[in-house]
Amino acid sequence: MRTHNAPPPESIRYHRTRNAVLRHVAGEHLLVPIRSDGTLDAESLYILDAVGAAVWEALAQPATRAEIEAAVRSGFDMPEGHAVGADLQELLDDLLKQGLATEEKTS
C-alpha cells in the first residue's frame, strides 16, 4: 500500500550501476560485483535466472518498472495475465539494497 507522499511507480526510473557485471558461465548468469579497486569480487556473486538476467539487461538504460516488465514479457513471450510484478519488484529492491541499481524520481 502506497502512502500519500510516495510517488506513483510510473514516476520512478531504475538504472543499473557500474558496480557489477553480468557474465555467462557454463549456462549460468552470474552477476559479479566490482570492488572499489576495479577487480571482480567473485566471493559475492549473484546467480540470476534467465528472467533476472533480462531485467539486468533492461536496466542498461533508465526505465520504469512498467517498461522493464514489458521488456521481460516480450522477451519470454509471457501472457499479459502472467504475474511478474511482485518478483520484479523484489529483484529491483534487492539490486537497490546491494547498490547495484539506482532509482530516480521523475516529474
Side-chain angles (χ1 to χ4, degrees), residues 29-66:
H29 305 282
L30 306 176
L31 188 58
V32 186
I34 300 173
R35 295 183 180 124
S36 59
D37 66 1
T39 60
L40 299 179
D41 183 5
E43 295 177 13
S44 300
L45 57 85
Y46 303 90
I47 299 172
L48 300 177
D49 62 12
V51 173
V55 169
W56 181 256
E57 294 300 333
L59 291 170
Q61 299 297 322
T64 65
R65 192 177 115 175

Side-chain angles (χ1 to χ4, degrees), residues 8 10 23 41 52 64 91 98 107:
E10 61 274 6
R23 297 287 186 242
D41 183 5
T64 65
L91 177 56
Q98 297 302 320
S107 49

Side-chain angles (χ1 to χ4, degrees), residues 62-94:
T64 65
R65 192 177 115 175
E67 292 167 335
I68 298 166
E69 187 172 334
V72 168
R73 283 186 188 286
S74 68
F76 290 90
D77 197 28
M78 293 179 181
E80 202 55 41
H82 185 84
V84 175
D87 290 339
L88 174 58
Q89 192 60 55
E90 183 177 344
L91 177 56
L92 290 172
D93 290 344
D94 287 345

